[in-house]
């Protein structure tokens, strides 16, 4: 899957820290996409004017420039994504909607025997690519707006006072163009996602309205075209994954918020080194006659490295928590789908392996979080999480396995996933210890059953 330039994540680098794209090596890093604003090296998709030139939006340019609805211009994002999809877009047919509904109905019946969590799907939907964009925008807005807002705030608040006065024109332009820039980048990313995403939960979060199970028939058909399996079988396999994800998010009420909070915790940690900014501005201005010229893109591009945020230990903790939660969700889905389908669906093993390869090569979830927060989801972490859930189901039963979702503190931590079988073994030991230390009724004193007063005939002699 191609890169998804949301414009927030860290650049794609190899194990030695070198940019994987040779054409970008030696160029200043631009992890949050501000290069696109100035048409510099980081503008992989071109500047906003170039993007707009490819879209039929000229009549609404003034409206877009005057956007005041938040840090991301979602009107532009929507129109940009839909424009990108226009050439290959196919509306869903009545037959496709019926096939999706039947697949999700059958998937829920099979999952009833694999988990005690009840169905989370109360309606089945077949979305076109355009519908996927339009219907998921509220979820994307809730996830991305705090990131974009924090990026802009960190860049502007870290400017020294004297630099802020000099860069007033730049700050004003960034304020006017920021929402447009982010909107253009997010729109391009959503357009690429809509071309490939198969369900409403494939990015790792439920993007559809509550209770809606969703497949994208056009993408399902293209996905199945490269496999040696019947389309009905592929559709059912994907319906099982969608229905399993919906069960989990519907009946673990804190899960969605925990994932979102991890992303926002990363955003809260976005800071810029003031000393580095001062040095960067001094170096940038060293070769500038007459000071900073906000109308000169080359001048502005020279300032960008000074505005690059640095990742803090707190952000690294947020990323570990996010990776762990995403792996646990994916591992649980893999496990319950295997329990439901491995003996019923002829091509299950081949389809499961295809899905693993899709994730390993950069599926929607992997690329989404890589470009949003720089998180690289490790395939091994997903395997470790699946090992925990599979072993818990085999050794403790589905009910005990799913009981771990009853509270965040019961779930395996990142350290637990390093040794998944040790975590499973401790669950049995904890239960045995609890049984041994359970409170017993207090023992009665030896004389508790004796009456306080003796009968008169048993009384001793009266004192003299």
């Amino acid at each position: 899957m191609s890169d998804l330039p949301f414009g927030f994540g860290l650049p794609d680098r190899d194990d030695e820290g070198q940019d994987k794209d040779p054409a970008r090596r030696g160029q200043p890093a631009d992890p949050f996409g501000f290069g696109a604003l100035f048409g510099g090296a980081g503008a992989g998709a071109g500047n906003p004017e170039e993007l707009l030139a490819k879209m039929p939006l000229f009549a609404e340019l003034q409206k877009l420039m005057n956007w005041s609805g938040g840090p991301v211009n979602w009107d532009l994002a929507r129109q940009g994504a839909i424009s990108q999809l226009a050439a290959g877009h196919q509306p869903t047919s009545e037959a496709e909607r019926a096939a999706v509904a039947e697949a999700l109905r059958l998937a829920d019946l099979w999952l009833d025997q694999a988990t005690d969590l009840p169905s989370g799907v109360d309606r089945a939907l077949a979305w076109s690519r355009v519908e996927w964009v339009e219907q998921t925008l509220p979820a994307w807005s809730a996830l991305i707006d705090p990131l974009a807002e924090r990026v802009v705030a960190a860049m502007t608040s870290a400017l020294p006072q004297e630099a802020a006065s000099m860069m007033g024109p730049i700050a004003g332009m960034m304020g006017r163009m920021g929402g447009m820039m982010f909107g253009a980048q997010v729109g391009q990313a959503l357009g690429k996602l809509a071309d490939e995403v198969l369900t409403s939960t494939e990015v790792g979060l439920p993007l559809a309205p509550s209770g809606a199970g969703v497949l994208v028939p056009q993408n399902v058909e293209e996905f199945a075209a490269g496999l040696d399996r019947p389309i009905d079988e592929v559709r059912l396999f994907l319906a099982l994954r969608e229905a399993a994800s919906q069960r989990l998010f519907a009946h673990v009420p804190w899960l969605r918020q925990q994932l979102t909070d991890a992303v926002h915790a990363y955003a809260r940690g976005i800071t810029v080194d003031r000393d580095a900014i001062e040095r960067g501005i001094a170096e940038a201005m060293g070769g500038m006659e007459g000071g900073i010229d906000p109308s000169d893109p080359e001048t502005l591009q020279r300032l960008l490295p000074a505005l690059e945020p640095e990742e803090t230990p707190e952000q690294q903790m947020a990323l570990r928590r996010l990776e762990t939660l995403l792996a646990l969700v994916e591992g649980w889905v893999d496990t319950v789908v295997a329990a439901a389908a491995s003996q019923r669906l002829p091509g299950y093993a081949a389809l499961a392996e295809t899905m693993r390869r899709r994730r390993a090569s950069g599926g929607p979830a992997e690329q989404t979080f890589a470009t949003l927060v720089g998180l690289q989801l490790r395939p091994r972490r997903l395997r470790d999480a699946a090992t925990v859930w599979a072993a818990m189901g085999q050794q403790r039963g589905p009910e005990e396995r799913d009981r771990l979702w009853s509270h965040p503190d019961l779930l395996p931590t990142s350290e637990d996933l390093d040794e998944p079988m040790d975590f499973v073994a401790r669950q049995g030991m904890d239960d045995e210890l609890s049984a041994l230390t359970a409170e017993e009724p207090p023992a009665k004193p030896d004389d508790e059953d004796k009456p306080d007063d003796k009968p008169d005939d048993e009384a001793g002699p009266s004192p003299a």
Side-chain angles (χ1 to χ4, degrees):
M1 183 171 178
S2 53
D3 289 342
L4 305 178
F6 279 99
F8 303 109
L10 295 173
D12 191 15
R13 299 184 179 279
D14 58 24
D15 294 337
E16 297 180 358
Q18 295 292 320
D19 198 308
K20 290 183 179 180
D21 184 351
R24 294 196 302 260
R25 292 184 181 176
Q27 297 178 358
D30 183 22
F32 296 106
F34 277 88
L37 179 60
F38 306 120
N47 58 39
E49 289 82 4
E50 292 173 344
L51 289 172
L52 286 173
K54 302 175 183 177
M55 297 183 248
L57 303 178
F58 297 109
E60 301 186 22
L61 182 58
Q62 186 63 39
K63 173 184 174 182
L64 296 173
M65 289 294 291
N66 293 333
W67 168 264
S68 59
V72 177
N73 188 325
W74 289 102
D75 285 348
L76 176 58
R78 173 185 173 276
Q79 294 178 50
I82 292 174
S83 176
Q84 185 174 327
L85 295 170
H89 172 255
Q90 297 177 7
T92 55
S93 66
E94 186 61 37
E96 287 172 331
R97 288 192 287 271
V100 167
E102 176 59 23
L104 285 167
R105 184 194 66 80
L106 183 56
D108 259 341
L109 289 177
W110 287 11
L111 289 169
D112 283 341
Q113 301 175 45
T115 175
D116 290 336
L117 294 182
S119 173
V121 176
D122 57 31
R123 61 194 183 281
L125 300 176
W127 281 348
S128 68
R129 292 170 175 174
V130 168
E131 287 173 320
W132 184 90
V133 169
E134 293 179 328
Q135 296 298 325
T136 62
L137 281 178
W140 288 118
S141 177
L143 184 68
I144 292 175
D145 274 346
L147 271 171
E149 185 174 11
R150 183 56 190 164
V151 167
V152 175
M155 298 300 184
T156 55
S157 66
L159 289 174
Q161 184 174 1
E162 58 275 16
S165 62
M166 290 188 298
M167 296 183 67
I170 298 176
M173 184 175 68
M174 289 177 66
R176 292 190 302 271
M177 296 288 288
M180 189 174 176
M181 179 197 72
F182 286 130
Q185 291 184 322
V186 170
Q188 185 186 56
L190 293 182
K192 289 188 176 181
L193 270 175
D195 266 338
E196 302 187 40
V197 73
L198 302 169
T199 70
S200 72
T201 56
E202 197 182 2
V203 300
L205 288 167
L207 300 177
S210 178
V214 179
L215 268 64
V216 183
Q218 183 178 355
N219 293 346
V220 171
E221 184 174 350
E222 292 184 4
F223 176 70
L227 307 174
D228 189 22
R229 304 305 311 173
I231 180 63
D232 289 346
E233 198 172 282
V234 176
R235 186 188 300 112
L236 178 55
F237 172 77
L238 296 173
L240 282 161
R241 294 186 58 81
E242 172 75 350
S245 296
Q246 293 292 351
R247 286 183 183 228
L248 191 59
F249 282 101
H251 300 292
V252 183
W254 48 264
L255 180 56
R256 182 199 299 251
Q257 191 61 48
Q258 288 264 327
L259 287 164
T260 303
D261 285 349
V263 174
H264 294 169
Y266 180 91
R268 288 193 299 271
I270 294 174
T271 57
V272 180
D273 188 338
R274 184 184 292 261
D275 292 337
I277 286 181
E278 291 177 341
R279 292 193 301 271
I281 291 176
E283 293 173 2
M285 292 184 64
M288 301 179 191
E289 297 181 2
I292 297 176
D293 180 4
S295 65
D296 181 7
E298 182 178 353
T299 295
L300 301 179
Q301 183 66 27
R302 293 178 63 181
L303 295 175
L304 289 178
L307 300 177
E308 180 182 348
E310 295 182 355
E311 195 172 86
T312 65
E314 292 76 16
Q315 287 178 297
Q316 293 171 1
M317 290 179 59
L319 292 184
R320 284 197 298 273
R321 183 159 62 96
L322 178 61
E323 181 188 38
T324 300
L325 280 173
L326 289 169
L328 290 171
V329 170
E330 186 70 19
W332 186 87
V333 169
D334 283 352
T335 299
V336 297
V337 169
S342 59
Q343 301 302 316
R344 292 188 176 98
L345 200 63
Y348 166 77
L351 291 169
E353 179 60 26
T354 298
M355 190 59 64
R356 282 191 289 270
R357 292 179 180 178
R358 177 180 170 89
R359 293 195 301 255
S361 62
E366 286 71 20
Q367 287 298 329
T368 294
F369 289 99
T371 56
L372 281 176
V373 293
L375 173 62
Q376 299 294 330
L377 291 171
R378 293 170 288 174
R380 177 183 173 183
R381 192 49 100 205
L382 300 178
R383 293 193 300 268
D384 291 339
T387 297
V388 166
W389 297 122
M392 282 293 296
Q394 292 169 1
Q395 298 182 23
R396 311 289 296 163
E399 183 177 356
E400 284 298 301
R401 176 198 67 202
D402 297 345
R403 185 181 63 84
L404 294 179
W405 289 108
S406 62
H407 194 278
D409 292 345
L410 297 178
L411 290 176
T413 64
S414 179
E415 291 74 18
D416 290 329
L417 291 186
D418 291 335
E419 299 292 342
M421 295 310 297
D422 287 352
F423 173 82
V424 175
R426 286 199 303 273
Q427 303 312 300
M429 294 173 61
D430 290 344
D431 289 347
E432 293 175 6
L433 183 61
S434 298
L436 290 173
T437 58
E439 290 188 8
E440 298 178 358
K444 294 181 180 180
D446 293 341
D447 57 350
E448 182 174 337
D449 293 331
K450 296 180 181 179
D452 293 335
D453 300 319
K454 295 182 181 181
D456 292 348
D457 56 355
E458 294 181 8
S462 299

